[in-house]
Amino acid sequence: MVRRMLHAGYERAPLPPAREESRTETPPESSEPPARAQKKPAKSRDPFFDNAKYLTILLVGIGHAWDPLREDSRAAEAMYFVLYTFHMPAFILISGYLSRSFEARPGQIKRLITGIAIPYLILQTIYTYFMRWAQDNPDREFHYQEPGFALWFLVALFIWRLTTPIWKTLRWPLPVALALGMAASVTPTISSDLNLMRVLQFLPFFVLGLLLRPEHFELVKRKQMRMIAVPIVALTLLFSYWAVPRMSKSWFLHDKAAEDFGVPSWVGGVMYLALFGCGLVLTVCFLSWVPRRLMWFTSLGAGTLYAYLLHIFFIQGSRQFDWYEMDWVDHPLSRVAITVLAGVMMTVLCTPLVTRIFRYVIEPKADWFFRRDAGEAARKREKQSGRHARPTSRAHERPSRAQPPTPGAHT
C-alpha cells in the first residue's frame, strides 16, 4: 500500500520535473452489487518527498548566493564544499526516483517535451535577452546548444529521463552509469555542447534514484540514521575546512576533466568515485533529517521547478550589477543576511501565486504541437459516459430476494 501511495502521488517529478503518466490497474472483482461499491479514497502526496524537494531547492539557491562570498572566508568555503558535495546529487536522486514510471509512452513523451524541452527553449531565449541587457552586449548569440548558467539541469533531465527505459533493461545499471561518469571525468575532449560533461558525471545519481524503492527510504527515516548523521556531517565540515587551501571547488561542479586540474587521469577517476561516495553518504544524512510529516512548507515542494528556473535571473542580476560590492556585504553578519535572503527568495518562488503566473512559460500545454490521439480521446469519452451513467431502479442494483443470485453474476 505504501508503494502504491508513493508511486501514484509522485508521478510528477520536481525539480524539475515533468509529470509522469500514471499506470492503470484492473480493479479487483467485487462481491458486492455495483450500487454498493464504495469509492476509493483519493491518494495523497507523501509529504516526505515534497519536504525533501523544497529543502534541496532551498540549498541550491543558498549555494548560488554563497559563491561570491567564499573567497573571503575559509569557513564559508568549507561550508560551500560540503553543500556542493550533496545538494545537487540529492536533487538528482529524487528526480530519478520520481521518474521510475517513465516508459516512453506517447503521453509521457508529450509531457517530457512540454515540461522540459519547451521550457528550456523559452528560458534559454529569455536568459539570452537578459544577459544582453545586463552585460550591455546586444550581440550576444543564442547558444541553444550551450545551456546558460543553471539551465543545464533541464537538458540533463531530458536526456536522463529519455534514456530511463534503457537503464531499466540493464542488469547492472549503476555500475554502467558509474563507468560512463568516470570515463567522462578523464576525457577532456568532451565539448561544452549540451553540457555533456555534467550530464554524464551526475548520471549515476539519477540511475540510483531509478533503482530505489519506498522501503529504501524507510531505512533512511529511522531515528538511528538521524543520530549517525550528526558526527558524519561534523567530520565532513572539519575535513572540508582542511581541504579548502588544497582543493579546487570546481571538483564539485563536475564540469571539467582531470586534465583541466593538472592531475593524471587515474587521479581524476579516483577523485570522481570518491566524490560520488561522499555525495551519496551526505545525501543519506540529509534525507534522514527531512521531516516526514506535513510542515508549513510541504505544499511548496510542488513548485521547486519554478524556483530553480526563476532564481537564475536574481542570482545573475546580483553578480552582473555588483550587488556584492556594496559596503555592507563586508560585514561578518552579511553572510547570514544573504543566506536568509536567498532562502526567502526560493520560498517565494515556490508559492502557488508564482506558479500560476509563470505556468504558461514553464509548463505550457502546447496541445497544438502534437497529433491528436484518437485512442486516448475515445477512452476519455468512455470514462465520461460511465461517470454519468446511473442505475434506474433498485431492481437493477441487486438480485431479487425471491430468487437466489446466479453464480458469477457479478464477475
Side-chain angles (χ1 to χ4, degrees), residues 314-326:
F314 293 95
I315 295 297
Q316 281 292 60
S318 67
R319 299 178 184 181
Q320 298 299 325
F321 298 115
D322 299 325
W323 294 354
Y324 288 88
E325 300 299 325
M326 293 186 290

Side-chain angles (χ1 to χ4, degrees), residues 234-256:
L235 290 175
T236 304
L237 283 169
L238 290 175
F239 180 81
S240 298
Y241 189 84
W242 171 86
V244 164
R246 301 170 174 84
M247 185 176 176
S248 171
K249 67 110 175 179
S250 297
W251 283 106
F252 303 97
L253 302 180
H254 294 292
D255 60 349
K256 296 180 180 179

Side-chain angles (χ1 to χ4, degrees), residues 290-365:
V290 172
R292 291 168 288 175
R293 64 184 186 278
L294 287 172
M295 306 291 290
W296 65 267
F297 54 79
T298 300
S299 61
L300 301 179
T304 52
L305 178 62
Y306 291 79
Y308 184 87
L309 296 177
L310 296 176
H311 91 286
I312 294 173
F313 302 97
F314 293 95
I315 295 297
Q316 281 292 60
S318 67
R319 299 178 184 181
Q320 298 299 325
F321 298 115
D322 299 325
W323 294 354
Y324 288 88
E325 300 299 325
M326 293 186 290
D327 294 337
W328 71 273
V329 176
D330 295 330
H331 194 276
L333 293 178
S334 65
R335 293 177 178 83
V336 177
I338 291 174
T339 301
V340 173
L341 288 174
V344 171
M345 174 187 68
M346 301 305 286
T347 301
V348 171
L349 293 179
C350 288
T351 57
L353 176 62
V354 174
T355 59
R356 284 196 299 270
I357 294 174
F358 292 95
R359 185 175 301 278
Y360 294 102
V361 175
I362 297 178
E363 290 186 288
K365 292 184 178 180

